[in-house]
Amino acid sequence: MEQNRYAEYCRQLISGLCNESAVVVDKKHDDMGVLLVVSGISKMDMGNVIGRKGAHIQHVRELVRVVGAMDGARVAVKITEPEGSLKAESFSNYARI
């Protein structure tokens, strides 16, 4: 499986958890492997993607990691906070102090 397919597989998994988001997955390559950065998730869908106690996103990360391991690649998934989320706002407030 080529590395473009890791991003597409991750996008399909996360899009299945979202109701109204246009999910975008960017790839970044480094010495540790491939980092998939997921963005475009709305505030309303963030709870569905993360799941209770982070169960959904942990399962997505595990599935993508297994697909990468089948080809000998190390793949990690990172989700960016949506604009206007409480967590993103709280971090920006600390930066102003």
Side-chain angles (χ1 to χ4, degrees):
M1 186 179 291
E2 50 185 70
Q3 291 178 350
N4 290 336
R5 295 181 73 189
Y6 302 142
E8 180 60 23
Y9 183 67
C10 181
R11 189 191 66 74
Q12 287 178 355
L13 286 173
I14 293 179
S15 293
L17 296 171
C18 296
N19 294 326
E20 56 189 47
S21 297
V23 177
V24 178
V25 178
D26 296 321
K27 295 180 310 231
K28 295 183 181 181
H29 302 277
D30 61 3
D31 297 338
M32 298 296 293
V34 179
L35 176 64
L36 300 178
V37 180
V38 181
S39 59
I41 301 172
S42 70
K43 290 190 300 186
M44 301 301 290
D45 288 334
M46 188 57 78
N48 290 339
V49 171
I50 294 174
R52 185 173 291 173
K53 296 184 181 180
H56 291 164
I57 191 59
Q58 288 301 328
H59 294 309
V60 168
R61 286 179 174 142
E62 186 174 341
L63 288 170
V64 172
R65 193 176 311 129
V66 167
V67 169
M70 290 170 50
D71 291 338
R74 184 171 184 195
V75 182
V77 178
K78 177 182 176 185
I79 296 183
T80 58
E81 290 290 326
E83 291 295 322
S85 69
L86 295 177
K87 189 171 184 180
E89 290 173 4
S90 65
F91 286 136
S92 64
N93 289 337
Y94 287 120
R96 292 181 196 154
I97 296 176

